[in-house]
Amino acid sequence: MTDYLFDTPKVQSIPVKGEAAEYPVHRIFCVGRNYAAHAAEMGVEVDREAPFYFTKSPQAVLASGSTLTYPPGTSNLHYEMELVMVIGKPAFRVSVDDAAEAIYAYGCGLDMTRRDLQQAGKDKRRPWDLGKDVEGSAVLSPLTTAGKVGQIGPQRIHLEVNGEIKQDARLSDMIHGVAEVIADLSKFYHLAPGDVIMTGTPAGVGPVVAGDKITGGIDGLDPIALTIGAPE
Ligand code: MN
């Protein structure tokens, strides 16, 4: 046994409906601009050739129902409602046809974003990390195993702030579908159990302030909720 000088990081995990054990999080990949209407509201072109990605630290996981302290360094914290899929078997250089077998479960996620810092990164051709890898910014609902979900496509995806609908779309609006994303990502990474993929957000993103209550859902999956707390 190796001795460590400091406490080791806690393993972050996500509850799975019907399972006593939880899904342990290893990596978090996020797809950018996967809905045409969202790319348009961001003022950018969609790349239909291939998806692109950014990442969040596993320690950014926050359980649905939590309060997120308004993060430091921003005055424009945005919500992004997303379908989340998690990997259940190794996938490296898999075909689109084989990719779906690697999906263990689905859930709802919020990709909370320091939009002002993300925009500054874009403007200066710098990485998005300060905008996207925000502590507590990967908000995840309990997972539903893939066999209980059925074909991804017709399900409604929606988000409300204080009960007012802000995002409302269908999963079929995704430019790159779930199997396509896994097949593409598996060209670059040895995907394995523990890998979480946030699949991008529909149009209607916007800011939240302390005291706001976010709710969201996707047909057939556990809903998600987040309260925004006062800044430190
Ligand atoms: Mn996102």
Side-chain angles (χ1 to χ4, degrees):
M1 280 287 284
T2 306
D3 282 332
Y4 298 103
L5 289 163
F6 300 96
D7 290 344
T8 55
K10 177 179 176 286
V11 173
Q12 300 294 325
S13 60
I14 318 170
V16 179
K17 278 189 343 188
E19 294 284 344
E22 301 205 347
Y23 181 91
V25 177
H26 176 213
R27 298 183 285 196
I28 304 173
F29 299 101
C30 306
V31 181
R33 297 171 199 157
N34 204 16
Y35 291 76
H38 171 61
E41 73 180 350
M42 293 283 103
V44 289
E45 292 282 315
V46 163
D47 187 348
R48 290 183 184 273
E49 290 293 303
F52 76 93
Y53 312 95
F54 56 89
T55 59
K56 291 178 187 273
S57 307
Q59 298 299 326
V61 168
L62 184 66
S64 175
S66 300
T67 295
L68 173 64
T69 300
Y70 195 94
T74 183
S75 54
N76 197 20
L77 178 70
H78 273 212
Y79 55 80
E80 295 190 356
M81 177 71 199
E82 312 206 356
L83 172 70
V84 172
M85 56 183 170
V86 304
I87 298 293
K89 65 179 236 185
F92 180 58
R93 293 177 177 157
V94 292
S95 68
V96 172
D97 285 345
D98 292 340
E101 289 174 30
I103 302 171
Y104 172 69
Y106 295 100
C108 292
L110 298 173
D111 165 13
M112 300 304 293
T113 301
R114 286 189 277 232
R115 190 72 74 201
D116 40 2
L117 299 191
Q118 183 198 20
Q119 188 59 48
K122 289 180 188 175
D123 292 345
K124 294 179 178 175
R125 296 176 173 241
R126 289 176 181 169
W128 290 5
D129 299 54
L130 287 179
K132 287 295 194 178
D133 194 4
V134 179
E135 292 167 353
S137 69
V139 185
L140 301 172
S141 75
L143 299 168
T144 302
T145 48
K148 294 178 185 160
V149 177
Q151 200 69 22
I152 295 296
Q155 296 89 347
R156 179 178 175 233
I157 176 171
H158 59 94
L159 176 142
E160 304 81 33
V161 178
N162 304 323
E164 185 182 332
I165 294 180
K166 300 290 190 182
Q167 297 189 280
D168 197 349
R170 298 276 164 185
L171 295 182
S172 53
D173 296 335
M174 284 195 284
I175 295 163
H176 306 286
V178 293
E180 195 182 338
V181 166
I182 289 171
D184 184 74
L185 199 52
S186 80
K187 296 173 186 170
F188 304 97
Y189 295 96
H190 294 77
L191 297 177
D195 289 335
V196 173
I197 303 170
M198 304 185 75
T199 59
T201 196
V205 300
V208 282
V209 297
D212 281 346
K213 292 189 186 309
I214 299 172
T215 52
I218 296 171
D219 292 343
L221 302 181
D222 257 28
I224 199 161
L226 180 71
T227 300
I228 307 300
E232 290 177 85

